[in-house]
Every structure is written in C-alpha cells, then in structure tokens.
Amino acid sequence: MSKAGYLYGKIRLCYNKEVTAGEGDKGSRRSMTIFDTLAERHIQEALESGELQGLAGEGKPLTLDDDSHVPPELRVGYRLLKNAGYLPPALLARQEAVSLTELLSALPPDSAEYEQTNKRLRLLALQMQQAGLNTDFLYHRYHDAIQQALNKNK
C-alpha cells in the first residue's frame, strides 16, 4: 500500500473521531475532525513562530459577510463560489442592468446607441421580473424626478 493510501485510510478512520480539546480549552470535549485538529496545530505553530505577526489588518476587526439569509448547510459552498469569482445568474443580471443604466445616463437620448441600450435594458428588466426578481432599483431616477415634482407642488 502506498503512503498516500495509508494516510487516506487513517484520515477516514479519524474523520469523525471525538478528540479531547487542547489545554487552552481547559480539557473540554468536543467533536473535531482530523482536519480541524491539523488546522489548529498549524495555526498554533505559526503563532508560536511569529509568522502571523505584522500582517496587514492585524488588530483590526474582521469584515464578515452577512450570510444570515443563506441556509447553514449552503454557506460553505456559497462562500467557495463567491471567492472563486462566480456570481449567481440573478446577481449577474442585476450587475448588467446597473451597468446599462449607467451607460444610458452617459449617452445622448437621441442617439441610436441609446435606443439600442435602452431596448436591452427593458428586455433584461422583463426577464428579471419574469424570474421573480425585484427591478425597483432600475427606476430610482424616475422616483427622484417624481418626488421633486411632487415637492414643487406643495
């Protein structure tokens, strides 16, 4: 048997093994996988050797994403996809709609490019609405204009 096969077998045996936490946890018992144990060991060694000193952001609070709306069993997968640069189709559509809106604001309203871009934005907004996505963010400029007109009449 190869060394890798042997280690794989050991990891499988130890995967759900309950281990006693280190002295820092006052001997409390908790369920740890072999991976948790290895990670803890590497972190402790890095702390002791000073490898984690002077890093950017040291002493500052962590900026954590709010993933409270994501079911706990999906959070790791979502985080991996996000870190890999993947966006769900709904967010891609929203991002494209925002880009089109910004492009429209920079184009002259009587140009052919404006008409083409506006047509693409309307189609995208319709697709988003059919998918059950909120498109109110696209119409904020109309909301502001209506609000100003109403305020003038008061």
Side-chain angles (χ1 to χ4, degrees), residues 44-87:
Q44 191 60 40
E45 288 171 2
L47 282 171
E48 290 170 2
S49 68
E51 291 178 44
L52 302 177
Q53 297 293 323
L55 296 174
E58 183 179 6
K60 296 179 183 172
L62 294 174
T63 53
L64 300 175
D65 296 332
D66 178 24
D67 56 2
S68 58
H69 62 285
V70 177
E73 63 274 8
L74 297 177
R75 288 181 185 160
V76 171
Y78 277 35
R79 173 101 11 115
L80 287 171
L81 290 172
K82 179 183 174 214
N83 290 344
Y86 172 81
L87 285 178

Side-chain angles (χ1 to χ4, degrees), residues 101-120:
T101 303
E102 290 173 356
L103 180 60
L104 280 175
S105 66
L107 292 172
D110 55 349
S111 70
E113 191 178 358
Y114 182 91
E115 184 60 36
Q116 202 173 19
T117 305
N118 195 26
K119 184 185 276 188
R120 173 68 188 133

